[in-house]
Amino acid sequence: MSFTKGLSAFPITPMNANGRVDTPALQRLVAPLAAAKVDSIGLLGSTGSYPFLTRDERRRATDAAIAEVNGRVPVLVGIGALRTDEVVHLARDAKAAGAAAGLLAPVSYTPLTGDEVYELFKIIAGETGLPLVIYDNFATTHFTFTPQLVGRIARIPGVATLKGTAPDADAIADHLKQRRAAVPAGFPIGYAGDWNVTEALLAGGDAWYSVAAGLFPQSCLALTRAALAGDAAEARRLNSALQPLWDLFKQYSSLRVIYAAVDTLGICDAKPPKPVLPLPDAAQDRVAKVLKELALS
């Protein structure tokens, strides 16, 4: 089973106000993902609020999720942190727990250079032996991965794939072409950014790293399978049906919307980590209305 292709589902990490992970609630979130047979689970991604958690809490979350999945689905674990030595520890923890790979974003306070990010990947791959996913998420890290830098990092032994952010439909073909030209032949390129991913998959992207799939795996699997099979009409039909959810994501942020959805569906009592606040009541009502209308699964 390859974690570099298909649908990767990214759940939230339920925690209390002190940052203590609610491991039973997390297991209730990941169990349906494994049962649905998503291609991988993206634990402690941006939706999983990894920067808000201590090393110990990340380890508790990883152990609980991997125990629940029990080998049915590969689990990718976020290992980004400010200091390289912290990332080394987190990568070793993830590997010891049985993670298939580490999601490595260049977290920073002082803006990083391309050489610094390259060196980060080289050190983590070389010192830990954990396969790595290049985690390109400018919206959270404010670091720009050029195609040339992606190509350099992709040639580091142990770097397995790229998780990029899908641009608008009119730009995706060129975006993908530039990255294909920079990386070694056969190097997988996947995309996040749920509302733009359908066109990215149809253009030749290998994987969808999905926020929505962390709660609605069946609906997202159907779209993924159609797009990867080249059934553009069906993929676009399914994507169009999800447009009300994408509109909420774009207006309020996918993180806040998914927390509201978890609350609406009664899965667990989880609030986003402060200073992020839950959606106001009127927005919560909009989320509930959309979920009812779409009847997602």
Side-chain angles (χ1 to χ4, degrees):
M1 185 183 299
S2 173
F3 63 82
T4 64
K5 306 288 178 69
L7 180 67
S8 188
F10 280 62
I12 65 167
T13 308
M15 66 186 86
N16 66 19
N18 296 319
R20 180 77 169 172
V21 174
D22 183 345
T23 52
L26 178 59
Q27 290 178 319
R28 289 198 299 275
L29 286 165
V30 300
L33 307 181
K37 298 182 180 179
V38 298
D39 297 289
S40 65
I41 294 172
L43 190 72
L44 300 177
S46 298
T47 304
S49 304
Y50 70 92
F52 295 89
L53 293 166
T54 65
R55 177 186 175 188
D56 286 344
E57 290 305 308
R58 294 205 213 183
R59 187 161 45 197
R60 288 183 66 245
T62 302
D63 287 342
I66 290 178
E68 178 64 35
V69 170
N70 194 26
R72 291 175 289 170
V73 176
V75 178
L76 319 178
V77 176
I79 58 171
L82 280 172
R83 291 171 54 98
T84 297
D85 55 353
E86 289 182 88
V87 180
V88 169
H89 294 315
L90 292 165
R92 287 174 175 162
D93 289 347
K95 184 179 181 182
L103 297 157
L104 182 50
V107 180
S108 67
Y109 180 78
T110 298
L112 299 176
T113 68
D115 286 343
E116 288 166 342
V117 171
Y118 174 83
E119 189 69 15
L120 169 66
F121 277 84
K122 185 177 178 181
I123 290 170
I124 303 309
E127 292 191 11
T128 71
L130 179 70
L132 299 179
V133 178
I134 305 170
Y135 198 170
D136 180 3
N137 188 352
F138 177 82
T140 58
T141 65
H142 307 290
F143 179 82
T144 299
F145 279 91
T146 64
Q148 293 73 25
L149 178 59
V150 169
R152 288 179 66 201
I153 295 173
R155 287 170 170 79
I156 297 172
V159 175
T161 189
L162 167 66
K163 172 189 177 293
T165 300
D168 291 339
D170 60 354
I172 185 58
D174 187 57
H175 189 276
L176 184 57
K177 180 180 178 181
Q178 290 182 26
R179 280 147 188 79
R180 290 275 187 229
V183 301
F187 187 84
I189 296 175
Y191 284 99
D194 285 3
W195 51 88
N196 285 331
V197 163
T198 297
E199 295 304 319
L201 294 177
L202 291 171
D206 295 298
W208 178 11
Y209 297 93
S210 173
V211 175
L215 200 52
F216 309 115
Q218 298 289 2
S219 299
C220 296
L221 270 171
L223 195 163
T224 304
R225 299 295 183 251
L228 292 179
D231 189 344
E234 177 65 2
R236 287 171 178 147
R237 183 190 70 80
L238 292 168
N239 182 68
S240 180
L242 291 170
Q243 192 60 50
L245 183 62
W246 305 156
D247 290 342
L248 290 174
F249 279 10
K250 286 188 281 186
Q251 181 172 358
Y252 299 116
S253 85
S254 57
L255 176 70
R256 294 180 179 89
V257 171
I258 290 296
Y259 268 95
V262 167
D263 183 56
T264 296
L265 297 172
I267 297 172
C268 59
D269 181 19
K271 300 292 186 291
K274 289 184 177 179
V276 182
L277 296 175
L279 292 178
D281 290 345
Q284 292 262 8
D285 291 343
R286 279 194 61 197
V287 172
K289 183 174 183 289
V290 167
L291 295 184
K292 184 177 180 180
E293 291 173 349
L294 296 183
L296 294 168
S297 62

